[in-house]
Amino acid sequence: MSTLAEAIEAIRRIRPRRVVVFTGAGVSAESGIPTFRGAGGLWRDFRAEDLATPDAFARDPLLVWQWYEWRRTLIRDAQPNAAHRAVARLPDAVVVTQNVDGLHARGGARDVIELHGSIVRVRCVRCGREREAFEAFESLPPHCECGALLRPGVVWFGEMLPPYALERAAEEIRNADLLLVIGTSGVVQPAAGLVALHRRLSIEINPEASALSSACTLAIPATAAEATPAIVDAILEGRDA
Ligand code: APR
């Protein structure tokens, strides 16, 4: 474990230009959105791995949609927190997120790679038509105009990540001077594996040790909203000097 002061010192030393911010559910925890794993990570006794799969949807689309509508409501009512807003102050940072909540973009981030899709998009399982659907549905499960079921526009366990998103994320992480890893348990592949592509300074912000802590140069045991603003200040300060 390292201190915030050590991380700030390391940033001042290298003056990073190319910054990538890799995030997971923990970056949105302080916006009131529960993480998947750890305390409060369950919904009605189900784990994400039980619901976020093509099999679960085929078996019980109503149950899966009830879970998504619960999360969609939380996300609609949530606001970006100090961590999302701090990341957005980095004018040319690339955000690579596993989150489907859209809070980085709502917080002002300009370049966001959504590895796992978006919960405010839906797609027809038959005709493939995709559209935005921010508001709650009148009845569940929702249907397309063609009569078939709609599904959330997210990537489920066992499905491919959008190839362009994965390729671009890998490229940006490989070439970054500084990688911030914020609020992820680091156990879901292939997203978590992207961190291993980075060879320079990497700093994790997570109140708990994660599967990625030892792969990072420094691991700060703090919450996203506590530590991210000071880290971003240090990055920007180096640019003014
Ligand atoms: N600030 C920073 N980190 C936090 C905070 C906080 N306030 N609160 C919790 N955390 C950390 C936890 O310690 C944990 O390591 O956030 C992490 C959340 O881990 P997960 O719930 O596993 O979320 P994530 O890593 O994003 O999961 C990956 O799994 O279910 C799938 O597709 C889903 O994208 C998701 C993927």
Side-chain angles (χ1 to χ4, degrees):
M1 291 289 166
S2 318
T3 63
L4 183 56
E6 285 168 331
I8 289 172
E9 193 46 47
I11 290 168
R12 284 181 177 151
R13 259 197 313 272
I14 68 159
R15 296 188 178 186
R17 290 263 144 213
R18 303 177 74 135
V19 180
V20 173
V21 186
F22 179 71
T23 64
V27 77
S28 298
E30 286 152 289
S31 294
I33 301 170
T35 59
F36 297 98
R37 298 169 187 83
L42 293 181
W43 175 78
R44 295 196 205 162
D45 286 342
F46 293 98
R47 298 174 314 136
E49 288 84 344
D50 300 329
L51 296 167
T53 72
D55 280 355
F57 189 68
R59 209 169 33 241
D60 195 343
L62 177 59
L63 177 72
V64 171
W65 261 113
Q66 284 170 334
W67 181 53
Y68 277 100
E69 274 303 75
W70 170 71
R71 291 175 55 211
R72 281 161 48 85
T73 302
L74 289 175
I75 288 165
R76 222 175 7 249
D77 295 344
Q79 295 302 324
N81 65 48
H84 298 108
R85 291 195 302 270
V87 167
R89 284 196 284 123
L90 293 167
D92 39 20
V94 179
V95 178
V96 177
T97 190
Q98 299 165 87
N99 298 345
V100 295
D101 58 29
L103 285 178
H104 280 296
R106 279 168 61 197
R110 269 148 289 187
D111 192 355
V112 184
I113 302 175
E114 291 180 314
L115 292 174
H116 293 165
S118 164
I119 204 164
V120 299
R121 298 195 68 78
V122 292
R123 187 166 74 245
C124 174
V125 297
R126 185 163 61 204
C127 72
R129 216 183 110 208
E130 199 171 315
R131 66 172 169 90
E132 276 212 351
F134 195 68
E135 298 304 328
F137 289 102
E138 273 172 21
S139 66
L140 293 179
H143 287 82
C144 178
E145 283 148 21
C146 81
L149 279 172
L150 289 172
R151 60 163 284 177
V154 302
V155 176
W156 282 331
F157 288 98
E159 293 183 327
M160 297 267 292
L161 273 60
Y164 172 73
L166 192 59
E167 276 160 32
R168 179 156 181 247
E171 178 78 7
E172 296 291 349
I173 288 174
R174 210 178 275 121
N175 292 327
D177 302 319
L178 170 66
L179 176 66
L180 301 179
V181 178
I182 310 178
T184 177
S185 58
V187 296
V188 173
Q189 299 296 348
L194 289 170
V195 171
L197 300 173
H198 184 72
R199 298 266 172 252
R200 299 183 195 117
L201 178 64
S202 51
I203 299 175
E204 178 181 59
I205 299 172
N206 193 320
E208 310 285 333
S210 80
L212 295 173
S213 303
S214 60
C216 292
T217 322
L218 302 169
I220 308 171
T223 73
E226 280 165 3
T228 311
I231 293 283
V232 167
D233 287 345
I235 298 168
L236 293 174
E237 173 195 301
R239 289 180 187 183
D240 294 338

